[in-house]
């Protein structure tokens, strides 16, 4: 990708549906033998990969203009080969529905960004509590519950997002009451629970520490709209502040981004919230100030925005410390940011950023979805034409970030494939 920086972003764009809500909601459709429709689905690589997986396990899927229609014509065969499992992290979400419906599920080691160890113990302990027998053979997880799943109290060692979702997906059809204690509270969990309740599930407390699920015999099909993508929202807001811009985002839920909005205001941006809109504005002569932050589970500052905001903090006055407390290996963007001129003192999961450092264009490579987004933020603030490689990561998680930025006035262009491959 080619990007010429120092263009002030201005204007308005509409945000897409949430990637990390689309994935569990697609998996939820496996819980019914009736057709389901999910709307506002972002056209991203991870969604397309999960759709391939759904087709493999025996359902018909159509995806057009943001609508996915899932028709579960075949039996849900929850045995996922390694090649499909490794395509994305959320492939493992096949386990919960398959176990609930057929009493058997197996999945190769799931893929996803290399940002830390990403174990599965929370998922497996929960499945065991629900009565499943679990074996792990050569990285492959095999689960059996020949007598069906029974409701149970599951106290999570960590409020894992996909872990909470998988256990919710398994428990909705279990016999009796389940409780997920120390559950993840991300808005994507509530989005999934809303979809399941719309299908006839009895879930209360989603979005809080404890979720209660009263198992039901069967679920009907769904008609469900996804929540807006709060990480795309955050990436655009951070991009605007990095260019001292003035933008309005439409179709968002400001309460999903409070931690970020608080930090942007602290830095010195003017932040406005409407019912489904957010505005940020930075005057050309405003003094932007350093801040410290910790990336935490929701409602803390989102780890998925840690790399993009680190890029922004290189451009503000003073010393900022960014402490990544969710993933232990999510600092791969720092070396690339230094190529633009960033002054960052390595500190393991808590680097110290000393700003402001005027950025000049660089040739850089993204290592995962959000690291690549951070390099775009950096290039927007850099003098001259940057080249960003590894944009295939971006396509996994953002429906059209370059297009949205272009609509806001950025000079950004996808490079021909050959140029991309040569780097
Ligand atoms: N963890 C465990 N045991 C488990 C599972 C996770 O200890 O069984 C730990 C992990 O090692 C990590 C922490 O829990 O330290 C958080 O992991 P979590 O399971 O919550 O992450 P995830 O569910 O695998 C989702 C998103 C990620 C996002 C994280 C945290 C999806 C598909 N992925 O991953 O999104 O960073 O939650 O919010 O929902 C992205 O979109 O770029 C992305 C990586």
């Amino acid at each position: 990708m080619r990007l010429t920086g120092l263009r002030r972003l201005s204007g308005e764009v509409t945000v897409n549906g949430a990637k990390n809500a689309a994935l569990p909601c697609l998996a939820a459709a496996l819980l019914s033998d009736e057709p389901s429709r999910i709307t506002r689905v972002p056209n991203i690589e991870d969604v397309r990969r999960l759709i391939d997986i759904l087709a493999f396990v025996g359902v018909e899927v159509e995806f057009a203009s943001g609508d996915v229609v899932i028709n579960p014509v075949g039996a849900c065969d929850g045995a996922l080969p390694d090649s499909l499992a490794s395509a994305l992290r959320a492939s493992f979400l096949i386990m919960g529905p398959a176990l609930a419906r057929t009493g058997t599920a197996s999945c190769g080691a799931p893929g996803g960004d290399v940002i830390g160890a990403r174990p599965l113990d929370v998922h497996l302990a929960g499945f065991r509590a629900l009565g499943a027998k679990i074996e792990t053979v050569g990285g492959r997880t095999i689960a059996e519950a020949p007598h069906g799943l029974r409701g149970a109290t599951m106290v999570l060692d960590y409020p894992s997002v996909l872990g909470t979702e998988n256990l919710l997906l398994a428990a909705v059809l279990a016999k009796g009451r389940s409780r997920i204690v120390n559950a993840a509270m991300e808005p994507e969990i509530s989005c999934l629970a809303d979809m399941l309740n719309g299908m006839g599930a009895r879930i209360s407390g989603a979005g809080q520490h404890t979720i209660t699920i009263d198992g039901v015999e069967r679920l009907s099909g769904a008609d469900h709209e996804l929540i807006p993508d709060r990480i795309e929202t955050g990436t655009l807001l951070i991009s605007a502040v990095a260019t001292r811009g003035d933008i309005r985002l439409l179709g968002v839920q400001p309460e999903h981004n409070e931690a970020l909005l608080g930090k942007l205001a602290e830095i010195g941006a003017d932040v406005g919230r409407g019912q489904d809109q957010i505005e940020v504005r930075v005057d050309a002569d405003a003094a932007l100030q350093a801040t410290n932050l910790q990336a935490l589970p929701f409602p803390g500052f989102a780890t998925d925005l840690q790399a993009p905001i680190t890029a922004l903090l290189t451009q503000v006055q003073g010393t900022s410390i960014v402490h990544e407390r969710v993933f232990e290996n999510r600092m791969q963007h720092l070396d690339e940011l230094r190529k633009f001129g960033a002054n960052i003192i390595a500190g393991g999961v808590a680097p110290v950023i000393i700003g402001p450092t005027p950025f000049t264009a660089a040739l850089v490579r993204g290592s995962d979805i959000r690291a690549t987004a951070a390099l775009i933020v950096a290039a927007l603030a850099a003098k001259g034409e940057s080249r960003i490689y590894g944009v295939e990561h971006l396509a996994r998680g953002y429906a059209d970030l370059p297009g949205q930025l272009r609509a806001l006035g950025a000079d950004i262009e996808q490079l021909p494939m050959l140029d991309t491959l040569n780097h």
Side-chain angles (χ1 to χ4, degrees):
M1 182 173 303
R2 179 197 69 69
L3 201 168
T4 303
L6 296 186
R7 306 260 165 121
R8 185 170 194 248
L9 297 187
S10 70
E12 56 183 43
V13 288
T14 302
V15 163
N16 292 286
K19 158 185 172 280
N20 289 345
L23 302 172
C25 288
L26 285 167
L30 291 175
L31 286 165
S32 175
D33 52 17
E34 295 176 11
S36 287
R37 183 164 158 266
I38 305 173
T39 56
R40 205 177 179 182
V41 180
N43 191 359
I44 54 173
E45 185 60 25
D46 273 13
V47 162
R48 293 189 292 269
R49 289 181 189 181
L50 191 60
I51 285 176
D52 287 347
I53 287 174
L54 295 188
F56 179 86
V57 301
V59 300
E60 277 177 10
V61 193
E62 275 173 48
F63 183 17
S65 314
D67 289 2
V68 173
V69 177
I70 299 156
N71 190 5
V73 279
C76 172
D77 172 6
L80 214 57
D82 293 358
S83 55
L84 285 177
S86 64
L88 77 167
R89 185 81 189 157
S91 59
F92 205 68
L93 288 176
I94 234 68
M95 292 291 289
L99 202 49
R101 285 206 63 192
T102 68
T104 169
S106 77
C107 186
D113 286 335
V114 184
I115 51 182
R118 309 193 84 177
L120 296 167
D121 54 301
V122 168
H123 306 238
L124 304 187
F127 290 149
R128 284 197 182 98
L130 292 170
K133 288 204 166 36
I134 309 279
E135 252 192 306
T136 305
V137 183
R140 186 169 191 82
T141 303
I142 303 158
E144 302 279 349
H147 308 297
L149 300 176
R150 295 179 313 271
T153 293
M154 296 163 271
V155 184
L156 309 194
D157 282 347
Y158 187 95
S160 158
V161 175
L162 287 173
T164 302
E165 290 165 357
N166 230 345
L167 299 178
L168 204 48
L169 290 164
V172 279
L173 292 178
K175 276 202 175 62
R177 172 168 287 196
S178 296
R179 290 193 316 141
I180 306 177
V181 180
N182 194 26
M185 303 200 297
E186 271 67 3
E188 292 75 18
I189 307 282
S190 305
C191 183
L192 171 63
D194 287 347
M195 170 164 165
L196 291 168
N197 282 338
M199 297 165 78
R202 292 172 57 205
I203 301 166
S204 59
Q208 299 168 29
H209 284 298
T210 299
I211 305 177
T212 304
I213 306 124
D214 286 304
V216 294
E217 294 264 312
R218 63 178 296 279
L219 294 171
S220 54
D223 191 354
H224 181 65
E225 181 176 297
L226 299 178
I227 56 172
D229 195 308
R230 64 195 165 94
I231 308 304
E232 179 183 299
T233 302
T235 306
L236 288 165
L237 294 173
I238 290 168
S239 300
V241 176
T243 66
R244 292 179 171 262
D246 180 3
I247 69 162
R248 176 186 293 150
L249 300 183
L250 307 175
V252 297
Q253 290 191 24
E255 64 276 18
H256 294 173
N257 282 95
E258 285 303 347
L260 171 68
L261 297 181
K263 284 296 158 192
L264 294 180
E266 227 177 284
I267 289 170
D270 287 327
V271 176
R273 301 163 176 77
Q275 204 197 339
D276 58 358
Q277 299 185 4
I278 302 176
E279 292 171 359
V280 288
R281 184 166 59 86
V282 179
D283 290 334
D285 55 356
L288 296 182
Q289 297 298 334
T291 187
N292 298 330
L293 64 91
Q294 302 191 33
L296 290 166
F298 191 85
F301 190 93
T303 170
D304 292 339
L305 291 174
Q306 177 264 111
I309 203 162
T310 298
L312 168 62
L313 291 174
T314 63
Q315 300 305 301
V316 307
Q317 176 68 46
T319 301
S320 304
I321 302 176
V322 171
H323 192 165
E324 170 59 60
R325 294 186 56 191
V326 179
F327 291 108
E328 68 278 11
N329 188 22
R330 209 172 202 185
M331 289 293 165
Q332 294 165 68
H333 46 290
L334 299 187
D335 276 342
E336 299 303 287
L337 290 178
R338 288 188 182 105
K339 293 180 183 166
F340 290 96
N343 184 3
I344 301 174
I345 301 171
V349 291
V352 178
I353 302 132
I354 300 162
T357 41
F359 271 10
T360 46
L363 193 157
V364 288
R365 173 171 287 282
S367 53
D368 59 63
I369 302 174
R370 311 305 172 185
T372 310
L375 301 181
I376 290 181
V377 173
L380 287 168
K383 186 171 190 304
E385 184 182 291
S386 294
R387 299 238 159 181
I388 301 162
Y389 295 97
V391 289
E392 65 280 5
H393 297 295
L394 203 70
R396 288 190 33 230
Y398 291 92
D400 186 19
L401 187 63
Q404 288 170 316
L405 292 170
R406 205 176 304 118
L408 294 170
D411 182 1
I412 179 170
E413 176 191 55
Q414 193 75 44
L415 293 169
M417 191 53 99
L418 193 60
D419 189 80
T420 304
L421 290 176
N422 284 339
H423 285 83

